[in-house]
Amino acid sequence: MTVYSGVRYLLLLHAFCIGAMLSFAPAAAAKENGRITLFLGDERLELPLSAGHSDWTGSPGFAQVSILTRPSDVKTWQRFQSLRLAFDLLRSRAQMPEMSLLRRTGDAGFERWYGRTDSGGLIVTVQDRALEGDLLRVSGSFAGRLGQSPDFGQTIDLSAPMPVSGTFEVTLLPIR
């Protein structure tokens, strides 16, 4: 009787382990990735998604999207630090976009640039979006002007604007 109970216990444990592996497999396979192609004047930058700092939250019909990129090579990192693009995604339309960009200056200082629809005319156009489980895939383009800001984008000085445009193609996991 003891041997039968032990075998039954092992079979149950084995079935439980297989079930657990199968239920966690889609989550393990889910992977954030993507890129932003950024045009600043005549300069073109290919920036990889910073997966741990990019995400989305919401529902299938409405989502808030936050995309952060950072250069992966030292040469670009010495001139450019990060780019954040965020917007509300209502079905397949982007609303209330905002962008922040951190650049290095010649004296190793930083310049902070910001843009929104109401300050700089930032426009985001969504070409494609798909929600597959927890993964949100979204691609599109953006264009506008950025201005410097001493208060992290609360007020944006557009007296010497920097034109910005580009494309994005990302796969995001929900906020964690």
Side-chain angles (χ1 to χ4, degrees):
M1 192 71 122
T2 311
V3 172
Y4 177 71
S5 296
V7 169
R8 204 168 85 187
Y9 172 75
L10 286 176
L11 287 174
L12 283 173
L13 182 62
H14 182 69
F16 174 76
C17 289
I18 289 174
M21 286 188 321
L22 291 175
S23 66
F24 290 123
K31 184 176 178 191
E32 291 180 299
N33 62 48
R35 64 176 169 70
I36 287 185
T37 302
L38 175 67
F39 296 97
L40 297 172
D42 293 338
E43 189 175 17
R44 180 181 192 265
L45 299 167
E46 288 282 335
L47 303 167
L49 179 75
S50 180
H53 300 99
S54 300
D55 50 46
W56 74 276
T57 185
S59 65
F62 176 79
Q64 293 176 318
V65 176
S66 179
I67 303 167
L68 182 76
T69 64
R70 292 190 172 128
S72 56
D73 63 283
V74 175
K75 183 179 176 185
T76 305
W77 179 260
Q78 291 171 342
R79 297 182 343 263
F80 179 85
Q81 297 294 294
S82 66
L83 171 96
R84 180 179 173 269
L85 176 63
F87 53 91
D88 292 343
L89 183 59
L90 180 59
R91 292 182 193 87
S92 292
R93 283 190 39 223
Q95 298 180 335
M96 299 177 52
E98 55 185 52
M99 179 179 283
S100 62
L101 186 137
L102 183 60
R103 292 179 73 167
R104 292 196 82 110
T105 60
D107 63 357
F110 291 100
E111 293 177 340
R112 297 181 188 280
W113 295 82
Y114 297 88
R116 298 186 304 263
T117 300
D118 62 337
S119 294
L122 183 64
I123 296 173
V124 171
T125 304
V126 175
Q127 269 90 37
D128 190 36
R129 76 174 295 281
L131 184 60
E132 298 169 9
D134 284 347
L135 284 175
L136 175 65
R137 298 182 203 291
V138 62
S139 63
S141 60
F142 56 89
R145 296 176 302 143
L146 304 180
Q148 291 189 308
S149 176
D151 55 8
F152 298 97
Q154 295 297 317
T155 58
I156 300 173
D157 178 7
L158 290 167
S159 61
M162 176 172 50
V164 63
S165 64
T167 61
F168 60 92
E169 186 175 336
V170 295
T171 301
L172 305 172
L173 284 169
I175 195 165
R176 307 180 262 301

